Amino acid sequence: MAKIIAGVATSHIPAVGAALDLGKTQEPYWQPVFQGYEKAKEWFKETKPDAIILIYNDHASAFSLEMIPTFAIGCADQFAPADEGWGPRPVPVVKGYPELAWHIAQSTILDEFDMTIINKMDVDHGLTVPLSLMFGQPTEWPCRIIPLAVNVVQYPPPTGNRCYNLGKAIRRAVESFGPDERVVIMGTGGMSHQLQGPRAGFINSEFDKAFLDGLTKDPEALAKISHLTYVQEAGSEGIELVMWLIMRGALSQELKEVHRHYHVPASNTAVGHIILEEI
Ligand code: DHB
Ligand code: FE
């Protein structure tokens, strides 16, 4: 049977992708940001998962305001990098895993989660920047990737609790998939940031650090955080953190925290990253 072996969370800041693509990782501003991902690169090389379920949000690249699925799973063979206005990033095409993706779609829908099935979709920085941080600049991504998009752009996004419970349903789905695949689940986005309005530039390190602690030790408490609290404490785009709760919900209670990275600033956000391994 397949199993989830670890969860990884990371910010997905578009400027980080641009810094990497333009060869700026050693510049003084970016060096401490990228330094914190060296461990993840080593860890993925050693761990060699068969597949990654990558929870992210689309930023009006694949879905416009005409169609806004709350949860959408990519069941295609492959997903092209999206053109986000500056042209698509120079990164490999994402190879999917249709058998596992369809299995997760079936299992979660029969488990009463309304998952949209996507057979064609381009993927933007929300998905490609985390892959670049984990794997650098390879000619091919080293494993199959299932994109799972969450609406955190247009109100109302799903609650943290709903996301946490979806994570649990994803775990049940993976554990009922026949082949012995070793699966990593990733949650992306965050941490505190606000890109708009009078509070643009807002960052709350105290909230972020408590969120990282809670992710390891008390995810049930994090699942109770309301939308209003996210906006007040983590800024309007801090709501992206509900996607980290899908990742956490898919893990068991006893975990080893392998690595943590937190740095301010990177573009308009606090960069956060954590690796949680099943014991
Ligand atoms: C920034 C961060 C994001 O998560 C995003 O989707 C867009 C921009 C930023 O920090 O600039
Ligand atoms: Fe974002």
Side-chain angles (χ1 to χ4, degrees):
M1 289 305 213
K3 64 177 178 198
I4 293 191
I5 56 168
V8 177
T10 178
S11 309
H12 64 210
I13 307 156
V16 164
L20 190 83
D21 300 341
L22 298 171
K24 295 185 176 180
T25 58
Q26 294 313 306
E27 288 187 1
Y29 180 86
W30 290 111
Q31 198 277 339
V33 174
F34 285 97
Q35 180 63 36
Y37 287 92
E38 287 305 309
K39 172 73 191 178
K41 286 198 211 155
E42 273 168 41
W43 183 86
F44 268 104
K45 269 194 195 125
E46 280 163 22
T47 307
K48 295 189 183 68
D50 300 299
I52 295 175
I53 300 169
L54 205 154
I55 318 294
Y56 77 110
N57 69 290
D58 178 75
H59 302 73
S61 305
F63 310 124
S64 68
L65 290 180
E66 289 176 5
M67 265 183 273
I68 310 172
T70 301
F71 300 118
I73 187 163
C75 295
D77 277 329
Q78 57 179 49
F79 307 90
D83 181 340
E84 302 181 52
W86 302 274
R89 290 189 60 220
V91 291
V93 162
V94 172
K95 300 275 170 60
Y97 195 157
E99 301 85 351
L100 180 54
W102 275 102
H103 175 81
I104 294 171
Q106 172 174 309
S107 179
T108 52
I109 290 167
L110 297 182
D111 222 349
E112 303 183 345
F113 286 86
D114 303 314
M115 186 69 73
T116 300
I117 294 162
I118 305 283
N119 290 319
K120 184 171 184 338
M121 175 166 73
D122 291 347
V123 285
D124 72 9
H125 68 266
L127 183 132
T128 63
V129 167
L131 290 179
S132 298
L133 288 169
M134 301 303 123
F135 302 116
Q137 295 171 297
T139 49
E140 267 183 39
W141 300 121
C143 66
R144 304 210 263 177
I145 291 146
I146 298 175
L148 198 158
V150 180
N151 167 42
V152 289
V153 170
Q154 170 64 55
Y155 189 84
T159 62
N161 191 51
R162 179 94 173 133
C163 288
Y164 188 62
N165 286 329
L166 175 61
K168 292 184 187 178
I170 291 172
R171 185 182 182 91
R172 290 192 285 276
V174 169
E175 288 180 343
S176 60
F177 185 64
D180 287 337
E181 302 289 57
R182 295 163 61 254
V183 178
V184 168
I185 183 161
M186 286 182 63
T188 74
M191 296 200 84
S192 60
H193 64 305
Q194 171 141 352
L195 301 176
Q196 58 199 309
R199 287 209 311 167
F202 176 82
I203 286 174
N204 183 351
S205 295
E206 224 172 283
F207 177 90
D208 291 338
K209 287 176 183 168
F211 196 92
L212 287 163
D213 286 341
L215 215 54
T216 306
K217 296 191 198 117
D218 193 3
E220 304 275 336
L222 296 186
K224 295 193 183 102
I225 298 175
S226 68
H227 284 154
L228 188 59
T229 302
Y230 278 110
V231 175
Q232 286 169 337
E233 299 295 325
S236 51
E237 276 65 49
I239 189 64
E240 290 182 346
L241 285 169
V242 295
M243 296 186 288
W244 292 31
L245 294 177
I246 300 179
M247 175 282 281
R248 185 60 181 88
L251 302 176
S252 48
Q253 292 306 318
E254 297 297 316
L255 294 169
K256 183 165 131 203
E257 183 177 323
V258 175
H259 180 61
R260 184 191 289 209
H261 172 43
Y262 184 76
H263 177 77
V264 178
S267 190
N268 302 294
T269 84
V271 174
H273 165 45
I274 198 163
I275 304 178
L276 299 170
E277 223 173 60
E278 294 281 342
I279 298 173

